[in-house]
Amino acid sequence: MSKTILMRVSLVCFSLVCFFLVACDHEPTAAVNDLDQTVVVDVDRSSPSLDGSLDDMSGAALDLDLNVADQGEFALITDLEVEADMMLNTHISRPEPPATSRLVQPHSFTWGRGLIHMHSVHSHDACDGDPKPNGEPNLPCLQDLREAVCSSKLDFMLLTDHPVSFMEVDFTEATLHHSESGDQLIYDSTGRVVGNRLKCSDSHEVLIAPGTESALMPVMFRRRPEDQTWHGTRAPESVRGLREAGAIVLHAHTEQRSFEELWPLGLDGFEIYNLHANVNPRSEQLREVLPDLTTVLSAGVEGPHPDLSLLAILRANRWALSIWDQFIPHTRALGFAGSDIHQNLPPRLFQTYDGERLDSYRRLTRWFANYVLLEERSLEGLREALLAGRLYSVFHLLGEPEGIDFYVTDQSNSRYEMGSELPFQEGLTVHFQPPHIPPNSEISVRVYRISKRGENAQPSEEIDKVLLIESSELNLISLDVDQPGAYRVEVSQTPLHLISELGSLAELLLRPTIWIYSNPIYIR
């Protein structure tokens, strides 16, 4: 491997390690600020296999060698500035996502697009580790977040700031309320603040609710929990206490936990996707991601639009999905995509040719979101939809989920939506209507049934996961229900419509990529 490529790979690996440490550690870490050390990684694309233990990092794909790099040399490999006349015509600004009010609406509901697991100036590790200089909110960083959720046309944002910072402020400040911008506080029936209606300059509104992330991730608090230690204690009594404070109790970073750890807690749901699982140095997926990300960042203006760099990283979080599949034959469990955005990577590490940091709030809020089927566009309407399981996780960088529909009918043609739970009976039919796909692109729809092995099977026992159908057609899929189980859908897309924005790396990045996860329909 040439010295230039090795240097670039060194930068990427060090950046990924920093990314994981900054985003996943609940305590500040000095490692990310120490630019005198770098991790040199020799990437061997001819590695025979990416299979094996999740904890086995000894394979041929990565050869780790820690050493100290010369700071001048480091400066060379982070200097990706280019002249304006070198910009390719395909690398113009990408359009903003459309407001969900402009989309084809789901049956009997309205769309709500939003983020779960978000960090603001009330997390100690957000905003490049300086969220509150001199004790006051980092206004440029806060403005970046406000502008991002507005330009990305989000309908809701469930904040999950770290408890130490979160407990220092009241709910008015915790929900980023700014009266001068036209924000409106949201109150419950007792007059307590439970959220904020953030007002954008174009009159778009974003519902914001307070929450925290530590050992657990409670969202949408109605009041302060009685015991502040519940935030950081992974135990059933903590879940019950946080729920009594009005929270929906979720769990982040499923990839770091086991089924045995999560099952006893009584959670409402957990992440089935988190970007950090793809770049976690302790997981096998880094072996898959690192060569592609290195290639993309090394390509500069010859490569894809920086907003499409997710295509180098995006992989299914197999570990999280396997835990989810272990849960859902036995109990309800909301699956969602966790954004976990901090805007805290040192900008020098991931410098893209457009001059914007790779981990900006604006860029990352457009990569993926949770699309909820709302009966009412309010915080209470959102709470009801989440608890009912009416949520699709959508990587809308690839396109909007317009036209998608997932439901069950019975013999009398009564309809039961995604998230419904009903007893097994004769005459049930599962239906899935694939979404409209972007021009020239291709999709693969997979409908799964996940079931217990026997009526009295215990949660710790093996489950049966059956692929009922895999189809590339756009027609309505209808399947007779012949046994109980949790039925869910995955949609992958080969995004051929993006070819003009992928530059010289189109061949690498145009591949089947996860697009949409449904939540289950439970047949008991």
Side-chain angles (χ1 to χ4, degrees), residues 40-68:
V40 176
V41 180
D42 192 1
V43 178
D44 179 6
R45 283 189 170 273
S46 64
S47 177
S49 173
L50 295 177
D51 297 329
S53 168
L54 290 169
D55 297 319
D56 179 13
M57 293 298 292
S58 61
L62 290 182
D63 180 15
L64 299 179
D65 178 22
L66 298 176
N67 63 77
V68 178

Side-chain angles (χ1 to χ4, degrees), residues 61-196:
L62 290 182
D63 180 15
L64 299 179
D65 178 22
L66 298 176
N67 63 77
V68 178
D70 177 82
Q71 187 138 358
E73 186 179 72
F74 189 88
L76 288 173
I77 62 177
T78 59
D79 184 9
L80 301 180
E81 295 180 0
V82 296
E83 296 295 330
D85 60 3
M86 292 177 62
M87 302 283 282
L88 302 179
N89 291 333
T90 55
H91 295 147
I92 59 176
S93 296
R94 306 194 78 245
E96 294 182 355
T100 54
S101 60
R102 294 172 49 196
L103 303 180
V104 176
Q105 297 302 304
H107 178 85
S108 300
F109 298 100
T110 59
W111 283 120
R113 176 200 293 133
L115 305 183
I116 304 173
H117 193 170
M118 284 288 293
H119 295 271
S120 76
V121 292
H122 301 304
S123 284
H124 67 264
D125 52 355
C127 306
D128 295 324
D130 192 21
K132 293 183 178 179
N134 301 315
E136 297 296 325
N138 184 324
L139 293 181
C141 186
L142 178 57
Q143 188 62 25
D144 285 348
L145 176 55
R146 290 183 63 98
E147 291 177 358
V149 299
C150 288
S151 67
S152 297
K153 295 297 187 290
L154 298 181
D155 299 307
F156 68 90
M157 176 171 61
L158 303 188
L159 288 169
T160 53
D161 284 308
H162 296 310
V164 172
S165 307
F166 174 82
M167 289 186 291
E168 296 174 348
V169 297
D170 61 20
F171 278 12
T172 298
E173 191 171 353
T175 56
L176 313 182
H177 178 258
H178 189 248
S179 58
E180 290 83 355
S181 298
D183 293 1
Q184 295 180 325
L185 290 172
I186 301 171
Y187 301 90
D188 68 6
S189 59
T190 68
R192 288 182 297 214
V193 173
V194 293
N196 178 30

Side-chain angles (χ1 to χ4, degrees), residues 31 41 80 96 127 171 194 218 233 284 286 309 354 384 463 500:
V41 180
L80 301 180
E96 294 182 355
C127 306
F171 278 12
V194 293
T233 307
E284 66 174 7
L286 180 59
S309 55
D354 63 356
E384 185 275 332
I463 50 93
S500 64

Side-chain angles (χ1 to χ4, degrees), residues 272-310:
I272 58 173
Y273 182 82
N274 186 307
L275 182 65
H276 305 129
N278 295 148
V279 295
N280 181 346
R282 294 194 290 267
S283 106
E284 66 174 7
Q285 290 196 316
L286 180 59
R287 286 189 266 181
E288 302 174 40
V289 168
L290 189 56
D292 292 351
L293 184 57
T294 301
T295 301
V296 166
L297 292 182
S298 298
V301 296
E302 301 282 329
H305 190 290
D307 283 1
L308 299 178
S309 55
L310 174 66

Side-chain angles (χ1 to χ4, degrees), residues 222-338:
R222 287 190 169 119
R223 57 188 176 277
R224 294 278 183 186
E226 294 179 4
D227 188 339
Q228 300 303 325
T229 66
W230 289 336
H231 296 284
T233 307
R234 193 174 289 107
E237 54 270 25
S238 298
V239 172
R240 289 192 294 269
L242 294 168
R243 192 174 285 132
E244 288 173 1
I248 298 174
V249 186
L250 307 174
H251 199 287
H253 299 293
T254 311
E255 76 281 356
Q256 298 179 19
R257 300 295 157 197
S258 67
F259 172 81
E260 290 73 19
E261 289 177 284
L262 298 180
W263 173 257
L265 300 179
L267 298 164
D268 294 310
F270 44 80
E271 289 176 342
I272 58 173
Y273 182 82
N274 186 307
L275 182 65
H276 305 129
N278 295 148
V279 295
N280 181 346
R282 294 194 290 267
S283 106
E284 66 174 7
Q285 290 196 316
L286 180 59
R287 286 189 266 181
E288 302 174 40
V289 168
L290 189 56
D292 292 351
L293 184 57
T294 301
T295 301
V296 166
L297 292 182
S298 298
V301 296
E302 301 282 329
H305 190 290
D307 283 1
L308 299 178
S309 55
L310 174 66
L311 295 178
I313 304 170
L314 180 55
R315 305 290 193 282
N317 287 179
R318 295 188 291 270
W319 182 261
L321 290 170
S322 69
I323 292 179
W324 193 35
D325 286 340
Q326 194 76 27
F327 265 73
I328 57 180
H330 300 275
T331 189
R332 301 178 60 86
L334 180 73
F336 64 95

